[in-house]
Amino acid sequence: MKIAFFNAKPYDRRFFEEANQSFEHEVHFLEPRLDETTAGLAQGFEAVCVFVNDVLNEKTISRLAELGVRMIALRCAGYNNVDLAAASSRDVLVARVPAYSPYAVAEHTIALLLALNRKVHRAYNRVRDGNFSLDGLLGFDINGLTVGVIGTGKIGALVIRILNGFGCSILAYDPYPNPECVSLGATYAPLDSLLENSDVITLHCPLTPDSYHLIDAAALGKMKDGVTLINTSRGALVDSRAVIAGLKSGKIGHLGLDVYEEEGDMFFEDLSGRVIQDDVFARLNTFPNVIITGHQAFFTREALRNIAQTTLQNIADFEKTGKCSNRVEAATAIVNPS
Ligand code: NAD
C-alpha cells in the first residue's frame, strides 16, 4: 500500500525500512507532524502512518478522507489524538499497535527509581567536574521498601516481578486484579491504603476520564512524607502544579517522570536552542530531586522492531481483507495514550 509516514525521525526510518523488506509497501517518509495544515501532503496516498503527537481531529480526518486516505495506521498503542467518531463517519479505518514491549517501559521505570534514589544524575555531573564529595548523595536501600503499583496490567506486572528481586513488599491497586501479580506476592489494597502505606508509588494505568489527575493535592496529602513518585504512563494522571507544591513542601522526596501532561508541543523535538515557554515544566525541571525523560520509556530496539512489524502487518491485513484485528473503534475506545 502507498503510505504517507508523518513525523518521521531517523530511527523510524531505520526500523520501518528494515521491517518493510518483507512487506514491500511504498512508504514515503515525511518530516512534518500531521495536522489539518499538513494533511494535504497525503494526496495520492491510501494510508497515513502517525504517532502520539500527530493531531487527527475532525478537520484533519475530513481532509484525509477527501484526498482518498482509507486508513490511519498508528505506530503506538494510544489513540487519544484521533477523533474516532470522525474517522468512522468517513469510513477511514484506524488501527494501532496494542503491545510492543512492556519490558521496555517496566525497565525504564526501574531506571528512574534507581537513578533518583542513588542520585546518579548529580553524581555523574560531579565526577565529570572533578568533585568527588559524597555530601548530598545519600540514598536508601530499595530492599525492604513498600512499593505501591497503580495499574497491574502488562507493564505493572513486570514492574512487580522486577521489584520482587529487590526484596520489596508490593501493594497493588487495579479495578481488575491480575492473578499473576497475586502469585508474585502483591497485596491488592484500596487506593487510599496504597497511597498511605507506600514508600514508592509508580503509575501503570491508562489515562481515562476516571484517572485524570489521579495524583492531585488530595492524593498527595495521603502519602508518606518523602514519598518517591514515578510516572511512566501518561502525563495527565498527575496534576503537575500539585506535584510542584508537594516537592516544595518535601511531601515528595523524589519524582521521576517520563511523561508530562502538556508534552505535545515539546517532546520528541530538539528545542535546546529555544526558550521553554511552559513555566510549569520549567519549574519541575529545576528540582534536584526530579528526573524527567522525554517519553522514551518505550524506546528500545526490540520495541521499535515490534512497532514497525505490527504497523506494517496492520496495513497489509487491511489491504488484503479490508479488515484489521488491531482496529480501534469509537464504541470501544478509552483514552489510553503511550
Ligand atoms: P494494560 O492495559 O496491560 O494495563 C493497564 C492496567 O491498568 C489494567 O490492568 C487496567 O485494569 C488498569 N487500570 C485501568 N484504570 C485504572 C485505574 N483508574 N486505576 C488503576 N488501574 C487501572 O496496559 P500496559 O501495557 O501495562 O500499559 C500501561 C500504561 O503504560 C499505558 O496506559 C500507557 O499509558 C503507558 N505506556 C507508556 C509508554 C511510554 O513510553 N512511557 C509506553 C507504553 C505504554
Side-chain angles (χ1 to χ4, degrees):
M1 194 172 251
K2 224 176 147 194
I3 306 162
F5 192 109
F6 281 85
N7 215 341
K9 305 285 185 225
Y11 46 83
D12 291 317
R13 188 182 269 269
R14 175 182 153 198
F15 284 94
F16 273 82
E17 279 177 348
E18 199 177 290
N20 196 34
Q21 284 171 12
S22 44
F23 290 98
E24 296 180 351
H25 292 298
E26 193 182 321
V27 186
H28 290 245
F29 294 94
L30 306 168
E31 274 182 32
R33 208 164 82 158
L34 176 58
D35 61 21
E36 60 195 78
T37 65
T38 58
L41 293 169
Q43 175 130 37
F45 293 92
E46 298 158 277
V48 292
C49 181
V50 296
F51 196 48
V52 291
N53 291 332
D54 292 292
V55 183
L56 289 117
N57 57 18
E58 206 273 333
K59 284 188 178 156
T60 312
I61 291 173
S62 299
R63 183 80 184 110
L64 292 176
E66 274 167 25
L67 295 170
V69 171
R70 295 187 296 128
M71 178 180 197
I72 296 168
L74 291 156
R75 52 181 190 275
C76 54
Y79 41 83
N80 63 298
N81 52 334
V82 184
D83 184 335
L84 293 172
S88 149
S89 71
R90 280 161 191 80
D91 208 17
V92 177
L93 184 136
V94 182
R96 66 175 183 138
V97 183
Y100 35 88
S101 172
Y103 299 98
V105 184
E107 290 169 12
H108 192 77
T109 302
I110 303 299
L112 287 175
L113 172 61
L114 292 177
L116 282 165
N117 169 27
R118 306 310 298 266
K119 301 173 177 58
V120 175
H121 54 306
R122 303 187 62 202
Y124 171 81
N125 284 327
R126 277 193 195 185
V127 171
R128 282 178 75 93
D129 198 31
N131 175 359
F132 303 101
S133 158
L134 298 184
D135 203 24
L137 299 184
L138 190 66
F140 49 81
D141 290 1
I142 300 287
N143 178 262
L145 294 185
T146 298
V147 181
V149 179
I150 299 181
T152 55
K154 293 180 283 298
I155 296 169
L158 281 171
V159 167
I160 292 172
R161 189 173 286 279
I162 297 169
L163 289 171
N164 261 349
F166 282 95
C168 297
S169 302
I170 308 293
L171 288 176
Y173 171 73
D174 192 309
Y176 301 96
N178 179 347
E180 183 195 343
C181 298
V182 175
S183 70
L184 287 169
T187 305
Y188 279 90
L191 181 59
D192 280 358
S193 168
L194 180 152
L195 297 176
E196 284 159 16
N197 293 298
S198 300
D199 303 297
V200 175
I201 295 175
T202 180
L203 305 178
H204 301 291
C205 57
L207 178 64
T208 65
D210 284 347
S211 64
Y212 176 79
H213 282 187
L214 183 74
I215 304 300
D216 59 6
L220 286 167
K222 293 173 188 153
M223 294 179 193
K224 288 188 180 184
D225 290 339
V227 67
T228 296
L229 179 64
I230 311 278
N231 184 11
T232 57
S233 262
R234 185 61 181 149
L237 291 172
V238 170
D239 177 347
S240 307
R241 286 182 171 80
V243 155
I244 288 172
L247 285 159
K248 286 164 80 174
S249 71
K251 170 59 82 177
I252 300 178
H254 299 88
L255 175 69
L257 299 179
D258 185 53
V259 284
Y260 170 63
E261 51 185 326
E262 302 295 337
E263 71 181 47
D265 290 333
M266 290 187 290
F267 283 16
F268 308 118
E269 303 303 329
D270 178 1
L271 305 181
S272 54
R274 300 207 210 150
V275 173
I276 297 290
Q277 298 296 324
D278 183 327
D279 292 348
V280 174
F281 181 83
R283 180 67 178 108
L284 273 175
N285 228 358
T286 64
F287 294 95
N289 49 351
V290 173
I291 297 182
I292 308 175
T293 52
H295 208 141
Q296 72 171 79
F298 75 99
F299 197 59
T300 65
R301 276 194 310 252
E302 292 73 11
L304 291 197
R305 249 179 228 135
N306 291 337
I307 288 171
Q309 171 68 30
T310 305
T311 305
L312 296 175
Q313 185 67 55
N314 286 343
I315 296 169
D317 290 348
F318 176 62
E319 187 175 24
K320 272 193 207 122
T321 65
K323 292 183 191 156
C324 176
S325 59
N326 290 323
R327 178 176 192 170
V328 196
E329 288 177 276
T332 57
I334 50 166
V335 182
N336 180 22
S338 61

